[in-house]
Amino acid sequence: MLRQRTIKQAISGSGIGVHSGKQCDIRLLPAPVGTGIVFRRTDIHPMAEVPVNARDVRDTQLCTAMVVDGVRIATVEHLMSALAGLGIDNLYIELNSPEVPIMDGSAAPFIYLLQQAGIREQDGAKRFIRINESIEVREGDKWARLSPYQGYRLDFTIAFNHPVFRHRNDHVRLDFSTRDYIRDISRARTFGFLRDIEFLQSHGLALGGSLDNAVVVDEFRIMNEQGLRFDDEFVRHKLLDAVGDLYMLGAPLLAWYQGYKSGHDLNNKLCLAVLETQGVWEWTGLDPNQQHSLDYGYGKQDFLAYA
């Protein structure tokens, strides 16, 4: 039996809010079996709790953001991706601002925090959402799909008509394991085009965005002095986002996800379509004797080192 997971001890961190440009503090705390992932806004009195729920996503323009009773929790996707990658089921996340710090624009700093806190198995069976029928959402030429699968597989394809993206791999696949997620996906950073960032910042948005927390592309080249972490870092990050967006369903999936030019909005619409379509999914456990491609194990060589 695969067991639910939380962390062994509380741990804190801080970083810049990509939208506010201000420092955001974050604290991760263990949570009991069956709690799920719950955000807490400590800058609001009394403290407000916002459990993760795909139905509460209200903004997907620049990030994935939940809003419940006027309380906003934004930029959750990279942290949610890290939690999915390490198989964390139960956690309290305390924030003193409306957004999760962007850190370096990837999930790797959150992986590091979680590993430093330690991961503890709990006395409760891990629950999965099994997809029983294929379901798809489309907008123009963009689409996202979930299909039945024995395990968890993700495919993502991007298509940008831009010199930087030519002759680079535009497709990536992850047959889910924690080891492969940490090694191949977690370090991929978010990216943006200089013209878009300048426009947003001129309108008081994305004030914390910089070369320290994003790969920035101008009309012809990558502006980051150190270049890319992977030659296909762009598509790897889009898959990272999808892992986090899908974890807003509240449990890991047994399914095959395929995305073509998808983003936070379409990923959330896919989650809502799953929840609202009878017979498409069911709660299930995972028989360790049943053949599947899931692996939540990792060794010392998989730990990330951040000075």
Side-chain angles (χ1 to χ4, degrees), residues 15-24 62 75 78 99-105 190 196-198 200-216 224:
I16 296 297
V18 71
H19 300 302
S20 68
K22 299 178 180 178
Q23 179 171 312
C24 303
L62 298 173
T75 324
H78 301 164
E99 59 182 319
V100 176
I102 190 63
M103 303 305 206
D104 72 347
T190 192
D196 297 332
I197 295 171
E198 289 177 336
L200 290 168
Q201 292 183 337
S202 70
H203 287 75
L205 300 171
L207 297 178
S210 72
L211 295 172
D212 293 328
N213 52 46
V215 177
V216 180
N224 303 66

Side-chain angles (χ1 to χ4, degrees), residues 172 174 179-188 230 236:
V172 66
L174 176 67
R179 177 175 288 111
D180 290 345
Y181 173 86
I182 291 175
R183 182 189 64 204
D184 300 331
I185 302 299
S186 71
R187 295 178 61 246
F230 309 93
R236 293 188 193 216

Side-chain angles (χ1 to χ4, degrees), residues 2 14 20 50 60 68 70 83 106 113 118 128 152 168 172 188 211 218 250 258 275 281 307:
L2 285 180
S14 64
S20 68
V50 179
T60 55
V68 177
L83 297 177
S106 78
L113 279 177
F128 292 81
Y152 190 21
R168 294 185 190 275
V172 66
L211 295 172
D218 67 12
Q258 294 166 280
L275 295 174
W281 68 281

